[in-house]
Amino acid sequence: MKEFLYLIRFPNLLLILLSQALVQASLLSAGINLAGIATPGFLVLTLSTVCIAAAGYIINDYYDIKIDAINKPDRVVVGKSIRRRPAMFTHMMLSFVGIALGFYLSIPVGLINIGAVLLLWGYSDQLKKLPLIGNLVIALLSASMLLVVAVYAGKLNKITISYAVFAFLISLIREIIKDMEDVRGDASFDCRTLPIVLGIRRAKYVLYPIIALFQAFLLVVIFHPVTGIGFDIYMLLLVLIPSIWMTVKLVRADRKRDFTYLSNLGKFIMLTGILSMLLIN
């Protein structure tokens, strides 16, 4: 069971549940409406999203057995604790359930779920090996995880779109950093990720403007007249300043453990940014 929970990245699935619950409870209503997350439709929506995300993690590990044996040999599950065929079967069943539940809710949600499954498959098979394209795919999927809640509710608004932009940018930053972290294993199997094509130093030159854009976006949000002082202070201390620290650490990062630290810092920024939904009203 422990190996399976790692395979489906259980902590990441909890973050997805939290993110969608906060969108439902905070962004789609005036004030915080916790009753909204207990409605049958929303529960089915989150289940479909979790199924597709879990399936995506499984298929990614399925294709990355040899690469992961170099990048993270102590964490390889597929082919060791869980055989490849059962892993693929589980992926297909979870994908089917996620798509079916999506169409049960509505055609737009079903189409979004099909798109997510196809992108996750393409990412795991080929797209992650290409410079920047795989990073953009994961960033887009991170944004769609939030947008699908608003699409289902029929309440797509500027605040939800802003959080989707936040998720897109921080996910893009973190995915590029993760490529830097895994450059040794990726290079051994002819991957063409950004750090492999340009080298670590030049890949940083691509990453700096993206981080600067992310920070500019945060400043626009913080100084927006609609947001309150509590929200602004929170975003400044727990999102913007950590992103500045990320830039400082990135300048001197040159070892795997440096990029592991930066990747975890990116996850922290994503979590604190998502939690800010509790203050937006």
Side-chain angles (χ1 to χ4, degrees):
M1 178 58 71
K2 180 180 178 181
E3 289 79 7
F4 180 74
L5 291 178
Y6 173 77
L7 178 63
I8 63 174
R9 309 298 195 277
F10 186 69
N12 292 359
L13 298 184
L14 291 179
L15 180 59
I16 291 173
L17 286 172
L18 175 64
S19 302
Q20 293 193 326
L22 289 176
V23 171
Q24 177 75 5
S26 299
L27 302 189
L28 302 183
S29 61
I32 297 177
N33 178 24
L34 294 179
I37 64 177
T39 58
F42 175 74
L43 293 176
V44 171
L45 177 66
T46 56
L47 178 59
S48 71
T49 304
V50 166
C51 285
I52 290 173
Y57 289 126
I58 293 173
I59 194 65
N60 185 64
D61 281 9
Y62 179 90
Y63 278 108
D64 277 1
I65 292 176
K66 294 181 179 179
I67 295 176
D68 288 344
I70 297 176
N71 289 333
K72 42 186 178 181
D74 56 328
R75 298 183 182 181
V76 176
V77 176
V78 176
K80 286 189 175 182
S81 304
I82 300 175
R83 290 180 298 174
R84 296 187 66 184
R85 185 170 295 179
M88 177 59 78
F89 177 77
T90 304
H91 157 76
M92 294 178 67
M93 289 302 300
L94 287 172
S95 297
F96 174 79
V97 170
I99 293 172
L101 290 177
F103 277 110
Y104 170 77
L105 293 172
S106 71
I107 291 178
V109 173
L111 293 175
I112 291 173
N113 286 0
I114 284 182
V117 168
L118 293 176
L119 283 175
L120 285 168
W121 185 293
Y123 169 83
S124 301
D125 185 22
Q126 291 294 331
L127 298 180
K128 69 179 298 180
K129 301 176 183 179
L130 303 176
L132 204 57
I133 295 177
N135 308 131
L136 289 169
V137 166
I138 296 300
L140 180 62
L141 289 170
S142 297
S144 68
M145 170 192 70
L146 303 181
L147 292 176
V148 70
V149 181
V151 169
Y152 172 64
K155 296 180 180 179
L156 192 61
N157 54 42
K158 292 180 180 179
I159 297 177
T160 309
I161 293 173
S162 296
Y163 272 101
V165 171
F166 166 84
F168 176 86
L169 290 174
I170 190 60
S171 295
L172 180 59
I173 291 167
R174 186 167 179 266
E175 287 300 313
I176 295 174
I177 290 173
K178 286 171 62 181
D179 282 347
M180 295 177 178
E181 179 186 4
D182 295 338
V183 67
R184 178 170 168 263
D186 292 346
S188 300
F189 292 92
D190 298 324
C191 295
R192 303 289 294 169
T193 61
L194 203 63
I196 293 174
V197 172
L198 299 180
I200 294 291
R201 184 172 61 87
R202 291 182 179 178
K204 288 182 182 181
Y205 293 150
V206 174
L207 192 52
Y208 290 140
I210 299 175
I211 296 177
L213 177 63
F214 176 68
Q215 293 169 345
F217 170 77
L218 292 177
L219 288 172
V220 170
V221 170
I222 290 171
F223 288 105
H224 197 285
V226 174
T227 58
I229 185 66
F231 175 85
D232 295 340
I233 293 174
Y234 176 93
M235 292 294 290
L236 176 65
L237 294 178
L238 294 179
V239 183
L240 180 59
I241 290 179
S243 74
I244 295 172
W245 178 242
M246 173 185 280
T247 308
V248 173
K249 295 292 289 184
L250 180 62
V251 171
R252 296 190 176 184
D254 58 4
R255 292 173 293 182
K256 181 178 176 66
R257 68 180 183 181
D258 297 331
F259 296 116
T260 300
Y261 173 84
L262 288 168
S263 175
N264 291 332
L265 180 58
K267 185 177 287 188
F268 170 80
I269 293 171
M270 178 177 288
L271 175 60
T272 55
I274 293 298
L275 289 175
S276 71
M277 294 182 195
L278 291 169
L279 301 174
I280 195 67
N281 282 308

